[in-house]
Structure formats: C-alpha cells, structure tokens
Amino acid sequence: MTSAFEAPPPIREDDLSNMMRTYKPRTPGVRHLKRPINDHLWKGRAHLPLTYPRKGHGIGGRNNSGRVMVRHRGGGHKRRIRVVDFSRMEAGKHTVERIEHDPGRSAHIALLNHDSTQEKSYIVAAEGMRAGDVVQSYRKGIPADLLKSMGGVMDPAMIAAKTAWRGNCLPLHMIPPGTLIYNIGLRPGAHGQLCRSAGTYGQLVGSSDAQRQVTDETQQPSKNIYVNVKLQSGEVRKIHKQACATIGVASNANYNRRQLGKAGRSRWLGIRPTVRGVAMNASDHPHGGGRGKSKGNVIPISIWGRTPAKSGYKTRKKSNVNRAVVVPRFRNQGRRKRDQSGGGTRR
C-alpha cells in the first residue's frame, strides 16, 4: 500500500554551515567583524499582515510611568514585531515559502503557507529547513489518511517513522527517546516556551518516574504522565507528555560565534553602554567615589545595594522548590567550562 505522505526532508550538510564570514580590514569597524553565513535568507521585507510596529517608550526599558525598569536599552534601528506561532495547533500540510531574519530574536523564522486554506504563519525555523519543505503539526491527533496508510494499526514505531521529521510539531509522547527537540511546551495545550533561541535544543531521554496519583476507589494501575527532557545546561526536567515540541534544533546555530566589530553596531541593536560602578560618583553607585580605582573596601554589590553582584548569589527561597527539576544543572560559576578548555586552575 502506497503512503499518502512524502519522504522526510533531506539532510543538508552544507560546507558553509560551520563557517563565519570575515571581511578585509578596510576600516577599523570591519577588522574584527564576523557573521554567520546565511545566504539562504529572504532578501525582501517581512509578510506585513503578520507584523506590527515596535514603538513607544518601552523600547528604552521604561514602564507605563516612564521610569527605567531595564538599564542599557534605548535607541536602535526601527523594527517591526513578527507574530510567531509557538502553539502550532493548526493541522494539515504547511509548505515553507522562505526563511527570514527576525530582528526580535536570534533564531531565524520560516513563513508557512497552509496547503488547504492558504493561510500564512510564522514559526521558529529548524536548522537545515529551507524553502519548499513540508511540515505538519500533530497536536490534534493522527490524521485519518496516515492511519489508513498503516492499515489502521497504531504502531508507535511506524507513527514515529512517518511523523518525527524536522520541523514537525508533536506531543512529547509521540517522539522517540533520544530525539533532539526545540520550542518545547511545559503544559498540555500551551505554546512552546523552552529552547527557542538560536542553536538551542533539548533531548528526550525517556519516561519520568513521576506517576499519577490513584485513589483507593478507582483501583486503576498508575501510568506515567511525564517524560524527562535533558536541556543543554545539563538540567533534566519532567514535562507533561501531552505538551508540544518541534523536531530538530533551532536555526542559526552559529549565532553565538558572531563578533559585532565595533561599538556602533551595538547601538544599532538598541544596546546602550554599560558603565562600571567604580567609575561612577558615590551618589550613583555603592562602588563609586574615592581617590583612584577603589570601591570603598566593600564586597561587590549591585547598583541598588541589596544583593551581591557575583559568586552566584541565590535569591530563590528554599521553601519554593522547583519540583519539575529531576536533575539540577551544575553550578560552579563557570569553573567547569574553564577546566574543559584547559585554562584556569582546578579546584
């Protein structure tokens, strides 16, 4: 029996995927400039019906009364906010029209066109996704034509082989263990919240030991309602198996290797300078004032003088335990990264 579904999208191993674009130092601003090579991006404007202007004093980190709530923000180039669909509730085939740059996030976005309704939507693009790919969402269940192609048998292995493709959105219980996923939801019916930045992903490692509470009256066997997802930080979280996730890795994986090259490029991005506390006056910062580079023989604290500013000071209450964390991430103020790279002293 022939299947009504196409082959999975091809695995593209582009030689330029791990390369950065450098420039001849004709000016000081491009001497240290490095950018990821993304020649496949759309060169035109965004799809305007799915955007709205970014304006107001909130751009400068202000609240509704005009007070600065977030420092080091302001200015920058004019932008439009892209409305990205993190829920992926619409079933059916969607064709990728193009891959676009989104100034509001580090990952790229893909413009989808629904094959039946011709409605357009934006999603966070997966690494390797290109124009012409076909993606689907299985959050509302398995389509009838897919079930018919398998002879009406609910074989989990066959379902995973036909659905767990790059860019498809599935419930976590339909994803095989070991699969790399991104745009991970936390609750049933909710939108994706984890692993949405460039190059981020989680890995499904299996079912959780957490089991559903069964009362004495029901006498039904307990079943696992959670799955374990390992994040890049090393943390393992238990997430409801009906939550959503997208197969693959978030696009633009070389984003963290970029170098802006000059201070003005940060200003174009809306990032204002950061001034050291010891360079301020005593009335502006607890480290300010004095003769020379002295912070007054006080421990490093924030500009508000409430919490220490280094050594990983923990502000979470001990009674407020995050019960979703199965294995916490390793916290040692960056010493593990220095030890792996061979630099620094081991403790």
Side-chain angles (χ1 to χ4, degrees):
M1 182 179 295
T2 59
S3 174
F5 284 72
E6 296 84 0
I11 299 176
R12 301 179 176 90
E13 296 181 356
D14 193 355
D15 295 335
L16 303 178
S17 59
N18 293 324
M19 297 179 60
M20 304 292 290
R21 177 163 289 154
T22 58
Y23 301 85
K24 183 174 289 188
R26 292 188 174 91
T27 60
V30 299
R31 178 177 296 274
H32 300 289
L33 178 61
K34 289 185 179 180
R35 289 171 170 170
I37 299 178
N38 294 315
D39 294 335
H40 62 282
L41 294 182
W42 173 251
K43 303 298 189 298
R45 298 189 67 184
H47 185 62
L48 289 182
L50 294 176
T51 63
Y52 61 92
R54 177 176 178 262
K55 57 185 179 180
H57 58 206
I59 298 177
R62 271 75 173 175
N63 62 358
N64 58 352
S65 62
R67 293 181 179 271
V68 176
M69 295 288 103
V70 182
R71 300 187 300 157
H72 315 139
R73 291 190 183 182
H77 197 279
K78 184 172 64 173
R79 300 181 184 179
R80 292 185 71 87
I81 304 296
R82 275 70 168 173
V83 180
V84 180
D85 181 17
F86 296 111
S87 299
R88 303 282 302 273
M89 296 298 297
E90 189 68 26
K93 297 181 182 179
H94 294 73
T95 302
V96 179
E97 285 197 1
R98 61 199 186 209
I99 309 296
E100 298 183 8
H101 165 73
D102 187 357
R105 67 189 69 254
S106 57
H108 298 150
I109 57 177
L111 181 63
L112 303 184
N113 184 26
H114 198 286
D115 292 357
S116 300
T117 62
Q118 303 301 319
E119 293 184 0
K120 299 184 184 299
S121 61
Y122 277 126
I123 65 168
V124 178
E127 185 71 19
M129 183 182 290
R130 295 293 185 271
D133 292 351
V134 178
V135 296
Q136 295 194 55
S137 175
Y138 298 95
R139 297 198 64 179
K140 292 185 178 180
I142 302 174
D145 51 356
L146 175 59
L147 190 60
K148 183 179 179 181
S149 65
M150 296 187 300
V153 180
M154 296 286 292
D155 187 2
M158 289 294 297
I159 294 176
K162 293 179 177 293
T163 59
W165 298 347
R166 179 184 57 221
N168 287 355
C169 183
L170 296 87
L172 288 175
H173 68 89
M174 292 179 58
I175 302 176
T179 306
L180 299 183
I181 53 179
Y182 73 100
N183 190 30
I184 307 169
L186 295 178
R187 293 176 301 276
H191 62 277
Q193 294 177 259
L194 301 180
C195 302
R196 303 193 314 197
S197 299
T200 58
Y201 61 89
Q203 187 176 21
L204 195 67
V205 295
S207 299
S208 174
D209 293 332
Q211 295 180 345
R212 183 175 55 187
Q213 297 290 336
V214 180
T215 60
D216 296 333
E217 293 79 12
T218 57
Q219 298 297 328
Q220 294 179 357
S222 60
K223 297 180 181 179
N224 292 338
I225 61 173
Y226 296 100
V227 295
N228 289 341
V229 176
K230 184 178 181 180
L231 305 178
Q232 289 176 290
S233 62
E235 177 179 303
V236 179
R237 291 180 65 99
K238 62 178 183 180
I239 303 176
H240 200 282
K241 66 179 183 180
Q242 295 294 341
C244 67
T246 306
I247 306 296
V249 180
S251 55
N252 198 14
N254 289 326
Y255 176 81
N256 60 342
R257 298 174 56 193
R258 79 200 188 287
Q259 294 182 13
L260 298 181
K262 63 179 183 179
R265 210 173 297 275
S266 291
R267 302 305 298 264
W268 299 346
L269 298 176
I271 304 173
R272 300 186 68 241
T274 301
V275 181
R276 295 169 297 125
V278 294
M280 298 182 186
N281 295 326
S283 59
D284 297 325
H285 199 281
H287 298 169
R291 295 172 180 260
K293 298 180 180 179
S294 173
K295 61 179 183 293
N297 196 22
V298 297
I299 62 173
I301 55 180
S302 63
I303 188 173
W304 304 280
R306 291 193 295 267
T307 59
K310 59 179 297 185
S311 302
Y313 182 77
K314 298 177 178 58
T315 59
R316 188 184 186 96
K317 294 182 179 180
K318 294 185 180 297
S319 60
N320 187 17
V321 179
N322 190 353
R323 303 186 185 279
V325 176
V326 179
V327 179
R329 64 184 178 92
F330 190 66
R331 301 170 187 264
N332 62 349
Q333 288 77 49
R335 288 195 296 270
R336 179 180 61 172
K337 184 177 293 186
R338 292 196 300 267
D339 294 343
Q340 291 177 353
S341 60
T345 59
R346 294 182 181 270
R347 295 185 180 181

